[in-house]
Amino acid sequence: MIQIDILSVVPDLMSSFFEHSIMKRAIEKQILQLRLYNLRDFSTNKQKHVDDYAYGGAAGMVMMIEPIYNAITSLQQENEYDDIIYFAPEGKMFNQQMANAYSLKKKILLLCGHYKGIDQRVRDHLITQEISLGEFVLSGGEIPAAAFVDSVVRLIPGVLNQETSALSDSFQDGLIAPPIYTRPASFNGWHVPEILLQGNHQQIQTWHDQQTEQKTTLFYQQKQNKNEQQNG
């Protein structure tokens, strides 16, 4: 079993995501223990405020250090976390290899940012790993937290009905999955490749391998070109 605790200003925003489909089954099978915590419950402020104005006059509200510190240290009294993760655009770019690694962990704590961000001292002294889903900004860390949990938990044996399907996902071996099709074989003049309809499994596997190689090569070429353009 993996235990994932999530600290959020709006935990109810995440509840429905975990009440359906694969995540729901993982919880019912006791493969995933998920606990959502409202950061306001750890505020000593009478109004339960968790944000304040930034020093120096910067625009936007900042999540205060005290309620975050109270929450993390309180949870640490009961749990020894493998990582305490904060989602930030400049964090380490999340990928399939990281998802694989985290699927082997036992306890993880996720901190969802909000407003303009969190007091830097939290990042300096309490966070052990900063993760990014990409070079863009969201209104809060709840979306990347949900994406993180889904990508990690689906890799744990027993979560998916067909465990081998996770092994053939894109990036699982550094490769991009080949195109896939289902019925009908012809729709609106668009046809499924004939080789997939003939039932020759050896030829189909060869076709899959070729498509995987082509898509993977194209993906990394485009990625390299983008990096060169950004650095050039």
Side-chain angles (χ1 to χ4, degrees):
M1 174 186 287
I2 185 172
Q3 174 186 319
I4 301 180
D5 295 344
I6 302 178
L7 275 170
S8 169
V9 177
V10 283
D12 289 345
L13 187 65
M14 308 189 69
S15 297
S16 62
F17 178 83
F18 299 106
E19 293 173 354
H20 302 278
S21 191
I22 294 173
M23 293 301 103
K24 179 182 179 181
R25 293 200 300 269
I27 294 172
E28 290 175 344
K29 291 180 178 180
Q30 298 184 344
I31 296 173
L32 166 64
Q33 182 182 17
L34 182 83
R35 305 191 299 184
L36 299 174
Y37 293 94
N38 192 329
L39 191 59
R40 297 184 191 279
D41 293 338
F42 298 91
S43 173
T44 57
N45 185 288
K46 184 176 180 180
Q47 289 76 31
K48 297 299 181 181
H49 289 164
V50 295
D51 63 305
D52 207 338
Y53 294 102
Y55 279 123
M61 303 297 284
V62 179
M63 292 177 66
M64 302 161 63
I65 186 172
E66 184 180 26
I68 298 175
Y69 175 85
N70 291 343
I72 291 178
T73 54
S74 175
L75 292 173
Q76 283 179 318
Q77 292 178 10
E78 303 174 2
N79 306 277
E80 184 175 348
Y81 293 109
D82 296 298
D83 252 335
I84 301 175
I85 298 172
Y86 173 65
F87 298 98
E90 69 272 33
K92 185 175 182 180
M93 196 66 67
F94 191 63
N95 58 29
Q96 190 67 27
Q97 286 67 44
M98 291 176 67
N100 285 330
Y102 276 111
S103 72
L104 303 176
K105 304 293 186 181
K106 297 298 182 183
K107 294 187 178 183
I108 304 169
L109 176 60
L110 308 180
L111 172 61
C112 301
H114 220 67
Y115 311 112
K116 192 66 176 179
I118 65 175
D119 190 301
Q120 182 63 38
R121 290 168 291 183
V122 175
R123 302 173 71 170
D124 292 341
H125 302 289
L126 299 173
I127 300 301
T128 62
Q129 180 68 268
E130 295 191 354
I131 289 178
S132 172
L133 295 192
E135 297 175 353
F136 56 91
V137 178
L138 296 168
S139 299
E142 288 75 21
I143 292 175
F148 173 91
V149 175
D150 185 275
S151 65
V152 168
V153 173
R154 68 190 307 277
L155 295 170
I156 301 174
V159 172
L160 298 181
N161 290 332
Q162 296 181 2
E163 294 181 16
T164 55
S165 64
L167 301 179
S168 61
D169 286 343
S170 288
F171 303 113
Q172 189 64 16
D173 295 315
L175 302 173
I176 306 297
I180 54 176
Y181 302 87
T182 189
R183 299 175 183 176
S186 179
F187 178 80
N188 202 29
W190 306 324
H191 305 290
V192 174
E194 186 64 28
I195 191 170
L196 299 180
L197 307 176
Q198 295 176 352
N200 188 316
H201 297 295
Q202 183 174 355
Q203 291 182 2
I204 290 174
Q205 184 60 53
T206 299
W207 183 86
H208 279 159
D209 292 342
Q210 292 172 344
Q211 293 294 315
T212 293
E213 182 179 355
Q214 291 174 13
K215 291 185 69 175
T216 302
T217 299
L218 179 61
F219 173 83
Y220 286 108
Q221 284 178 345
Q222 293 174 337
K223 185 175 181 179
Q224 181 178 356
N225 291 339
K226 180 181 178 181
N227 291 336
E228 291 174 352
Q229 290 174 359
Q230 291 176 341
N231 298 329

